[in-house]
Amino acid sequence: MIEKERSMTAKYVVGIDLGTTNCVLAYVAIETKSPQVELLEIPQLVATSTIESRPSLPSFLYIAPEHEATSGALGLPWQREMPLAVGEYARRRGAEMPDRTVAAAKSWLCHSGVDRRQPLLPEHAPPEVAKISPVAASRRYLEHLVAAWNAKFPEAPLAQQQLVLTVPASFDAAARELTREAAIAAGLPESLVFLEEPQAAVYSWLVARGDAWRRDLSEGDRLLVCDVGGGTTDLTLIDVAEADGELELRRLAVGDHLLVGGDNMDLTLAHRVAELFAEQGVKLDAWQSVSLWHSCRDAKETLLAADAPESHRVSVLGRGSKLIGGTVTVDVPRQLAVDLLVGGFFPQCAIIDRPQRRRASGFQEIGLPYQADVAITRHLAAFLTAHAGQNDRSAAPTHVLFNGGVFKADAFRSLVLDRLGEWSPADRPVRELPGPRDLDFAVARGAAFYGWTKQQGGMRIRSGAARSYYVGIETAGLAIPGAPRPLRALCVVPFGMEEGTAVDVPSNEFGLVLGEPAHFRFFSSAVRQQDKPGALLPTIDEEQLAETDSLETMLEAGSDDAETYVPVKFQSRITELGVFELWCVSTTSDRRWKLAFSIRDDAPEAAS
Amino acid sequence: MRLWLAVRCFFKALFHADFANQCLLLLNGTPATPDPVAVAPASAPTLLKSPRNDAITLLAALQREARFVDIVNESLDGYSDAQIGAAARDVLRDCGKVLARVFALRPVLEHAEGATVQVPAGYESECYRLTGDVSREPPFAGKLMHAGWQATKCDLPTWTGSGKGALVVAPAEVQLG
């Protein structure tokens, strides 16, 4: 009912891309027949006492020392005094003051090895800095967007609009739950829905393409969405099918969360170029290293271009006001960049190759579980092989939709297409989808358009749960002292389970003790698409099942409970808003208990 | 009531210079002293009118993002062209990015230079600079020597500071500890 009322007062559908490195907000009027998706210009601090509106808000947070915060120099149009800054100024301060700057909070959100409600960031902050949790940092970015929106549309506050928030396709149920928590705390409406980022990119392509897309794709085609952002890689396969004479898009599979992106490439090149400087006897300080990193972003695009010069001059400007005199330069040969970047990130490999377990090249920081193998092509090969169905000629896609800033460089698009071409059968060529590319803003735009189609009707991608989920069940039998009981996995959510549905999981009964917390280990799989609810896997194969945050509930004992032991079965639900719920349902009464994620430090348990 | 007020004002204005000045301001329709509460935005979350000249704000942006002020203030004596080029390449690229973002510059005429273009009758002299035989009457046809530039927007940052900072193009950078 509330749902209905809200949709009656909402004037806009708003799509928010809460990105690892940038946030974008797009919106479209609900009551329109021809949707025009606009981007919100976001006022933000770009320097002390300087406000500028930009279409994206860098996802950085700078915790200012008190003397800076109280000076009012971090004030925003809607709040005079701010203890911290988000956006462009925070990003710039991050280069000079990494100890006080939070970056990549989103990558921490899906890091189930730590308690993401605890103040962990900035990771290396000195003790006098008040740290902030990954959830709170995400909330701050969203609060800024809410304030910016409400300043522009005081008559239509964001809390009353239809909201679509995008998450990586690879985000598991716990990471989604935390994102939702941050969003609600920031003042977004409870009715917000989630959309997977690669799907959002497809919706953006659909709105840009209009009806022409029905000529671009045909039945039997398979679309790969290849989304490589600053810090993450997100892969999705979408099949084109025909139903009732109409083309239909079905999301087939999503990849795992890969912490490798464009920033790794820039850093890798910067690291090598810093060595070239060192060979000349030039030692770069921390400030110059950041400057070099930015120069290397341009250098990598120049050096990998089709008509690339044999070498490219990289300069680091002098820091003081004597700029020319302090500038140092080095010539970076093309071959060096090709070896490092193509060899490291897009190497030739066979479709049967797998990512290496041990780190091969590239940068690594402590903390986040960065990918051991930065070769995007090997991850791509593993993803496509995992989802080649039985009797399927090949999982090879026929079309590719690129997303993410990395693909502004022609070279990286060509590299991906070349590798896919090598794996494809000769009669099944692969090509990029036609139409304009909108690599930075497609996700937010697509999210807004998706929300509009929910209201007004239009092309929808059929999806459902992107992963199957399992509860860990200890096997019965004689206990062996000192050895944990072997664990089996009970499937509670099948792949593709649709929103707004519930499943009673067929299984034996489980006995739970009243008055004590019940605790279950919880796993997800992006590759076991065939498991039905109630399927019991005899062992936990780490290649296929990834452990996520455990689930728990407190079973309160009623005063008139004669029994202390309740037999239960599981029921799983995915709400209309895409929120996952798992319930323990008593088989002897009508009582039921909802399990909640215990987002705390499970690392030792996960390791055991 | 008003009569009594008028009488009081008469005498007070006669004997107190300050009061007389304030009466004058009131009569001229200007508030005697700016009300600090009225000046501050009540609840409006709109951008404040910047107390500094926009030219400084633009210069600050060019310096912050492209080191423009540094390079034009540096003596070129003693540097080779290669040294100057190495620094200028980055500065020019970044200046271009700032100008593109703030002004989104476009040519006034979307023709290739060297092409023949029409200058309409009643043209605006701000948009065209004519050379050669200008004694005839418009419209004209002529060869485009320079396509011109025009801003399609002007989205300067807003400065919210006060006092001395209004003239600061780039703050002094001090490393502590």
Side-chain angles (χ1 to χ4, degrees):
Chain A
M1 232 19 240
I2 294 165
E3 194 73 11
K4 263 247 162 75
E5 281 165 26
R6 199 184 290 282
S7 67
M8 283 166 73
T9 56
K11 275 183 72 183
Y12 299 98
V13 183
V14 176
I16 292 181
D17 173 7
L18 175 64
T20 314
T21 47
N22 279 296
C23 300
V24 182
L25 187 153
Y27 60 98
V28 59
I30 294 176
E31 296 301 330
T32 174
K33 288 298 156 219
S34 51
Q36 296 291 321
V37 183
E38 307 281 345
L39 295 177
L40 180 71
E41 291 283 329
I42 306 160
Q44 57 192 283
L45 210 62
V46 296
T48 47
S49 300
T50 308
I51 309 282
E52 191 175 335
S53 293
R54 304 220 176 154
S56 59
L57 178 76
S59 313
F60 290 80
L61 185 146
Y62 165 62
I63 301 167
E66 189 157 347
H67 50 83
E68 191 181 7
T70 52
S71 71
L74 308 182
L76 291 167
W78 48 82
Q79 193 172 346
R80 283 291 187 82
E81 203 166 286
M82 291 285 290
L84 44 81
V86 299
E88 176 62 19
Y89 179 61
R91 191 182 71 82
R92 295 182 74 93
R93 282 302 254 176
E96 301 158 346
M97 310 274 288
D99 291 353
R100 285 184 168 271
T101 311
V102 176
K106 184 181 178 180
S107 294
W108 287 86
L109 274 189
C110 61
H111 180 14
S112 60
V114 297
D115 183 348
R116 286 141 285 165
R117 293 195 188 100
Q118 288 301 312
L120 302 168
L121 306 174
E123 218 183 340
H124 305 294
E128 68 273 17
V129 174
K131 288 188 177 190
I132 184 170
S133 75
V135 174
S138 305
R139 192 192 84 213
R140 291 287 187 174
Y141 305 143
L142 291 168
E143 277 174 348
H144 188 100
L145 296 180
V146 171
W149 171 277
N150 290 347
K152 186 175 161 83
F153 298 101
E155 306 306 314
L158 197 55
Q160 288 171 20
Q161 309 310 307
Q162 295 282 322
L163 218 116
V164 180
L165 185 60
T166 62
V167 286
S170 47
F171 256 29
D172 63 21
R176 283 169 180 246
E177 181 88 14
L178 289 168
T179 307
R180 187 174 182 83
E181 188 178 312
I184 303 299
L188 296 186
E190 295 266 356
S191 61
L192 76 92
V193 292
F194 284 131
L195 177 67
E196 291 167 14
E197 285 160 10
Q199 283 193 50
V202 175
Y203 280 108
S204 178
W205 178 77
L206 286 171
V207 69
R209 208 65 189 142
D211 278 336
W213 80 268
R214 288 173 200 280
R215 291 191 293 279
D216 299 328
L217 291 171
S218 50
E219 191 193 1
D221 283 349
R222 179 166 290 174
L223 171 63
L224 168 73
V225 185
C226 188
D227 184 352
V228 183
T232 54
T233 294
D234 211 1
L235 303 169
T236 288
L237 278 176
I238 291 176
D239 265 3
V240 184
E242 203 172 283
D244 305 326
E246 285 282 318
L247 283 186
E248 194 177 80
L249 299 178
R250 291 180 189 159
R251 200 259 282 99
L252 182 72
V254 303
D256 284 321
H257 201 76
L258 303 177
L259 285 181
V260 53
D263 291 349
N264 301 56
M265 301 175 200
D266 303 336
L267 273 173
T268 304
L269 187 59
H271 185 68
R272 184 70 187 92
V273 173
E275 288 173 4
L276 294 182
F277 275 116
E279 286 165 21
Q280 291 184 1
V282 179
K283 192 170 179 327
L284 302 177
D285 64 21
W287 187 88
Q288 288 174 310
S289 300
V290 174
S291 172
L292 173 65
W293 179 9
H294 294 303
S295 303
C296 284
R297 180 166 303 157
D298 291 322
K300 81 168 191 272
E301 295 180 7
T302 308
L303 285 167
L304 296 189
D307 55 351
E310 271 313 299
S311 76
H312 177 74
R313 178 159 292 182
V314 171
S315 305
V316 176
L317 301 182
R319 178 160 190 191
S321 59
K322 290 279 168 286
L323 180 124
I324 303 170
T327 295
V328 288
T329 59
V330 70
D331 284 320
V332 180
R334 178 169 185 272
Q335 198 53 45
L336 181 148
V338 170
D339 290 347
L340 266 181
L341 300 177
V342 180
F345 295 89
F346 297 94
Q348 273 192 318
C349 61
I351 185 80
I352 52 164
D353 281 352
R354 291 293 161 268
Q356 292 163 9
R357 290 290 191 157
R358 212 167 44 77
R359 195 160 67 89
S361 70
F363 260 52
Q364 202 167 22
E365 271 181 66
I366 308 155
L368 286 174
Y370 287 105
Q371 262 12 85
D373 187 349
V374 297
I376 290 173
T377 44
R378 272 195 289 273
H379 288 287
L380 189 54
F383 171 65
L384 292 176
T385 316
H387 296 288
Q390 285 174 352
N391 306 326
D392 202 342
R393 284 199 302 166
S394 159
T398 54
H399 294 80
V400 184
L401 177 65
F402 291 108
N403 194 50
V406 166
F407 292 115
K408 283 179 193 160
D410 299 340
F412 293 111
R413 296 196 306 274
S414 314
L415 281 166
V416 170
L417 287 170
D418 288 352
R419 296 299 166 264
L420 290 170
E422 288 158 13
W423 303 332
S424 295
D427 61 335
R428 202 171 153 91
V430 57
R431 56 188 170 273
E432 188 182 353
L433 279 181
R437 295 182 201 98
D438 185 18
L439 300 166
D440 288 329
F441 306 119
V443 167
R445 278 188 210 275
F449 176 61
Y450 164 78
W452 182 86
T453 63
K454 271 177 91 99
Q455 296 287 321
Q456 300 286 348
M459 185 61 208
R460 296 277 294 279
I461 301 167
R462 288 171 55 94
S463 46
R467 318 171 79 87
S468 45
Y469 288 94
Y470 305 82
V471 168
I473 303 290
E474 279 183 15
T475 49
L478 291 173
I480 303 165
R485 286 177 188 270
L487 207 62
R488 290 186 293 173
L490 175 72
C491 179
V492 290
V493 172
F495 173 84
M497 180 169 163
E498 292 194 8
E499 287 162 7
T501 62
V503 169
D504 289 310
V505 180
S507 69
N508 296 331
E509 289 172 349
F510 301 93
L512 298 184
V513 182
L514 283 176
E516 281 186 16
H519 188 94
F520 295 96
R521 286 172 71 182
F522 196 53
F523 303 83
S524 76
S525 173
V527 293
R528 295 195 59 93
Q529 301 194 354
Q530 69 284 14
D531 290 338
K532 298 269 179 288
L536 198 59
L537 313 186
T539 55
I540 304 236
D541 179 357
E542 283 175 16
E543 293 281 323
Q544 296 192 330
L545 260 58
E547 178 149 22
T548 176
D549 298 275
S550 55
L551 286 162
E552 63 185 9
T553 188
M554 184 70 196
L555 292 97
E556 291 87 7
S559 54
D560 55 343
D561 277 322
E563 302 287 328
T564 55
Y565 206 65
V566 215
V568 297
K569 288 191 176 188
F570 290 110
Q571 186 191 60
S572 53
R573 287 182 63 203
I574 299 178
T575 69
E576 291 288 350
L577 305 180
V579 179
F580 162 75
E581 292 176 0
L582 188 64
W583 296 79
C584 291
V585 182
S586 165
T587 55
T588 54
S589 71
D590 55 2
R591 291 170 73 178
R592 47 203 275 127
W593 297 269
K594 187 176 151 187
L595 291 164
F597 286 107
S598 74
I599 313 287
R600 56 159 191 240
D601 200 343
D602 280 340
E605 190 179 329
S608 70
Chain B
M1 200 64 201
R2 298 228 306 259
L3 180 70
W4 175 235
L5 181 66
V7 172
R8 276 180 63 195
C9 287
F10 171 76
F11 283 104
K12 205 169 176 188
L14 198 63
F15 294 113
H16 299 277
D18 282 351
F19 186 76
N21 285 334
Q22 293 194 3
C23 282
L24 199 61
L25 287 167
L26 269 175
L27 288 170
N28 292 338
T30 325
T33 46
D35 183 346
V37 180
V39 171
S43 64
T46 47
L47 293 178
L48 297 169
K49 174 89 187 84
S50 176
R52 110 167 141 177
N53 193 305
D54 283 348
I56 299 277
T57 302
L58 175 62
L59 210 48
L62 285 168
Q63 166 64 14
R64 186 169 62 242
E65 295 181 43
R67 311 281 307 274
F68 172 74
V69 178
D70 284 339
I71 203 166
V72 297
N73 276 298
E74 194 165 1
S75 167
L76 301 184
D77 298 343
Y79 295 129
S80 69
D81 285 0
Q83 278 177 297
I84 298 167
R89 188 184 294 275
D90 285 19
V91 172
L92 290 174
R93 179 196 62 209
D94 294 341
C95 280
K97 286 182 186 169
V98 174
L99 295 187
R101 197 180 67 238
V102 173
F103 299 114
L105 294 167
R106 307 269 316 153
V108 175
L109 292 181
E110 304 274 353
H111 292 83
E113 287 172 353
T116 301
V117 295
Q118 306 298 320
V119 179
Y123 70 91
E124 287 174 80
S125 54
E126 293 87 353
C127 301
Y128 298 89
R129 187 165 71 229
L130 306 179
T131 54
D133 180 10
V134 294
S135 54
R136 291 178 292 118
E137 286 299 307
F140 304 114
K143 183 178 170 189
L144 182 64
M145 304 304 292
H146 187 300
W149 290 111
Q150 60 183 341
T152 58
K153 62 175 186 175
C154 186
D155 289 344
L156 273 175
T158 307
W159 190 72
T160 59
S162 59
K164 225 176 175 179
L167 292 173
V168 172
V169 172
E173 294 179 24
V174 183
Q175 167 98 46
L176 305 180

